[in-house]
């Protein structure tokens, strides 16, 4: 299957590590021009260099952008459009919000999660849609969580913001489908990244067991018997963001090895 990604300009937010980085690598392997970004200039540059080396694609560039800052987002897309003249694919991704339940969160926590995990995705769409409409081609993928299908106890901010993201994406997909712009949401179940290691450490402390034991307990709940690999998540993203996907839009799917029971 020809994914039609050669020479497309792909912007992957929060891509110095984890799912964003794995996605950037798969796009690079397809011959796209890839923009890697994160809050930290050094880690974004290191990721871009590693991806260039692994993929053999020289067109991988690093930029700095904190998704919780409106000005950073504006600046990034200004630089990208000046330098590359088009934007074909946007992968919306950012760091996870603070963990905790209702009693742990004050207004500041709610506003911070809204800025970083929902408004950020709206702001990036505002930047790329004029290009995509002009080109009559665009693909937007929102990285979310399995909490879009089944809430996760102790992650009230994530559960709330991701639900909003799905409502936003579905509505936007209907508004822009006639312009050949597809908007989809992809949620990781349990994919082996730094974020999962962090959550496992926190769970280990709460439960008085080791992080390794938390991992084993998690794997026992996943019918596939293991965590997902970031590349497995990334390949799903790449298909949905490719020209080969010309009719799947407005969907919210999970990559989870059959972890969730929700239909
Ligand atoms: N892995 C899973 O199974 C899983 C499950 C459910 C949900 N998720 C969600 O999926 C997203 C990605 O997770 P991951 O597992 O890939 O996490 P990760 O391995 O911790 O990587 C997070 C990436 O986001 C960047 N980042 C963090 N905050 C940022 C911000 N405000 N602006 C720009 N970049 C930022 C980090 O780079 P810098 O530090 O350099 O900025 C890093 O590159 C998160 O929202 C997470 O909650 C993941």
């Amino acid at each position: 299957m020809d994914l039609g990604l050669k020479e497309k300009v792909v912007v992957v937010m929060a891509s110095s590590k984890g799912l964003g980085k794995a996605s950037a690598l798969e796009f690079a392997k397809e011959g796209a021009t890839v923009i890697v970004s994160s809050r930290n200039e050094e880690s974004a540059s290191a990721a871009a260099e590693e991806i260039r080396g692994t993929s053999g694609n020289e067109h991988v560039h690093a930029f700095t952008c904190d998704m919780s800052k409106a000005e950073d987002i504006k600046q990034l897309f200004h630089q990208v459009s000046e330098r590359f003249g088009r934007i074909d694919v946007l992968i919306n991704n950012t760091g996870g919000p603070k963990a905790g339940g209702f009693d742990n969160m004050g207004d500041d926590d709610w506003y911070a999660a809204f800025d970083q995990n929902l408004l950020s995705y709206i702001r990036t769409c505002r930047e790329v849609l004029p290009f995509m409409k002009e080109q009559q081609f665009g693909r937007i993928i929102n990285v979310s969580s399995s909490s879009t299908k089944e809430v996760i106890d102790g992650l009230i901010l994530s559960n709330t913001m991701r639900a909003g993201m799905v409502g936003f994406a579905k509505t936007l997909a209907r508004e822009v489908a006639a312009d050949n712009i597809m908007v989809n949401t992809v949620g990781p179940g349990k994919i082996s990244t730094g974020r999962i290691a962090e959550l496992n450490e926190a769970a280990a402390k709460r439960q008085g067991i080791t992080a390794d034991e938390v991992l084993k307990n998690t794997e026992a709940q996943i019918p596939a018997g293991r965590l997902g690999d970031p590349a497995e998540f990334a390949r799903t993203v790449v298909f949905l963001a490719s020209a080969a996907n010309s009719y799947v839009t407005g969907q919210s799917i999970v990559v989870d090895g059959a972890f969730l029971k929700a239909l």
Side-chain angles (χ1 to χ4, degrees), residues 1 6 13 24 37 70 82 99 105 129 148 163 176 185 206 236 257:
M1 180 169 36
K6 279 193 181 55
M13 311 309 298
S37 72
E82 288 279 295
M105 306 302 169
L129 281 170
T148 53
V176 299
T185 301
R206 275 197 316 273
T236 310

Side-chain angles (χ1 to χ4, degrees), residues 16-17 19 38-39 43 66-67 94 116 162 191 193:
S16 65
K17 296 184 202 120
L19 304 176
S38 85
R39 295 167 299 185
S43 51
D66 183 337
M67 281 289 271
T94 184
Q116 181 181 250
R162 318 274 193 198
I191 312 287
T193 66

Side-chain angles (χ1 to χ4, degrees), residues 147-189:
S147 63
T148 53
K149 306 279 182 193
E150 257 182 35
V151 297
I152 303 171
D153 291 340
L155 290 182
I156 198 166
L157 295 178
S158 170
N159 295 338
T160 307
M161 298 306 152
R162 318 274 193 198
M165 182 197 300
V166 172
F168 165 69
K170 185 74 163 182
T171 312
L172 182 64
R174 292 176 57 79
E175 291 185 15
V176 299
D179 291 306
N180 187 24
I181 301 170
M182 316 274 138
V183 186
N184 289 292
T185 301
V186 185

